[in-house]
Amino acid sequence: MRTPIIAGNWKMNKTPAEAKVLVNELKPLVKDANATVVICVPYVDLCTALKETEGTNIHVGAQNVHFMESGAYTGEISAAMLKEMGVEYVIIGHSERRQYFGETDATVNLRTLAAVKAGLTPIICVGERKEEREAGYTNALVEYQTLIALNGLTDEEIKNVVIAYEPVWAIGTGLTATDEQANETIGVIREAIQRKYGKEVADTVRIQYGGSMNPKNVKGLMAQPEIDGGLIGGASLKAPDFSLVVNYDK
Ligand code: 13P
């Protein structure tokens, strides 16, 4: 049915020279993966990553994109710029951008529209903070974040989008959602998509789990029916670890 997608989010790690080393370590280790393999690298590493992955099964993504086509937006990067380089994916609305850089659901939507229009596949991040889960708002929040992000896309466009459910309390903390918690919340996201866009769209869109996913817990998470892959932070920075996650089914 849905092809699993495992994406590394390098965050603000690796210089271009370090990126070259990591990509070349990774290439032989992931070449037989059954999942789609993506690495989302810092902007300055994109050139290196694209060059070093040419002719391989590793796809390259960015970690953010601006929503305007061009203009006086100092320091920003447009979707067309990424597309022209050969970038295929872009992470949008990561919780670190929401927390530290003023990202809102409205700007997540604008970035998603710009990315899709330029032919990039967005990986849209949603997820609750600890206090929101404890207060019982997880489901309402992730539904809202998801539906706002997708607003204005056609059904066909939504089928190609990737959603990453990343509970904020599980990111970089070593705490993982249990297999059942992750599956349940991803199911809630899929149901919300189904209510608004129908079953065919909901059954097609790929929804990842992210948050301390690693070689030890990947099998259990990936065995859950709703979970279509992972967005991997820390464990994507070491080739052996990332390849074990990518090859979780071997
Ligand atoms: P960790 O895997 O380091 O918890 O990070 C998850 C994440 O934020 C991926 O985008």
Side-chain angles (χ1 to χ4, degrees):
M1 280 229 327
R2 298 183 289 267
T3 307
I5 175 166
I6 307 282
N9 174 9
W10 289 9
K11 307 192 179 183
M12 194 174 74
N13 293 290
K14 304 292 173 188
T15 66
E18 290 166 345
K20 185 172 173 179
V21 172
L22 178 52
V23 170
N24 283 295
E25 279 175 1
L26 212 50
K27 280 195 281 196
L29 299 177
V30 303
K31 68 177 186 352
D32 298 319
N34 294 315
T36 306
V37 182
V38 185
I39 51 171
C40 297
V41 306
Y43 286 136
V44 294
D45 295 343
L46 286 171
C47 237
T48 307
L50 286 162
K51 182 159 168 277
E52 299 300 323
T53 57
E54 227 179 282
T56 75
N57 62 328
I58 303 175
H59 302 265
V60 174
Q63 298 175 9
N64 189 25
V65 63
H66 195 56
F67 39 81
M68 299 301 284
E69 282 180 20
S70 64
Y73 303 99
T74 301
E76 295 296 325
I77 300 289
S78 75
M81 292 172 185
L82 296 175
K83 181 68 183 174
E84 190 180 300
M85 291 181 79
V87 172
E88 294 175 83
Y89 291 84
V90 59
I91 296 173
I92 293 176
H94 192 278
S95 62
E96 287 149 17
R97 297 217 60 88
R98 295 180 192 256
Q99 184 178 352
Y100 304 127
F101 303 105
E103 186 81 83
T104 65
D105 291 310
T107 53
V108 168
N109 177 234
L110 290 174
R111 289 182 215 281
T112 301
L113 293 172
V116 170
K117 192 167 162 211
L120 299 169
T121 299
I123 300 176
I124 301 166
C125 301
V126 302
E128 80 288 2
R129 289 174 298 175
K130 184 159 167 279
E131 56 274 28
E132 291 161 340
R133 175 164 282 270
E134 285 168 357
Y137 295 144
T138 299
N139 293 357
L141 184 80
V142 297
E143 283 183 25
Y144 173 87
Q145 288 175 326
T146 303
L147 294 180
I148 291 204
L150 300 177
N151 196 28
L153 295 181
T154 66
D155 289 7
E156 286 309 306
E157 287 168 338
I158 293 172
K159 285 183 190 174
N160 190 44
V161 157
V162 177
I163 313 247
Y165 166 57
E166 297 206 310
V168 179
W169 48 270
I171 294 177
T173 56
L175 293 173
T176 329
T178 64
D179 301 345
E180 293 72 24
Q181 271 174 333
N183 189 64
E184 187 190 329
T185 309
I186 289 177
V188 165
I189 294 169
R190 202 179 299 286
E191 268 170 40
I193 295 173
Q194 178 165 335
R195 275 201 304 280
K196 177 122 192 237
Y197 298 100
K199 186 164 164 47
E200 195 191 331
V201 174
D203 282 346
T204 309
V205 67
R206 292 186 288 180
I207 311 182
Q208 300 171 311
Y209 168 78
S212 300
M213 201 165 176
N214 60 42
K216 287 208 181 79
N217 58 29
V218 63
K219 275 194 196 333
L221 287 160
M222 290 303 293
Q224 298 292 325
E226 295 291 351
I227 304 180
D228 303 322
L231 187 55
I232 323 297
S236 74
L237 296 171
K238 292 190 186 123
D241 284 359
F242 189 57
S243 80
L244 284 170
V245 175
V246 164
N247 294 304
Y248 69 91
D249 56 339
K250 304 230 166 91

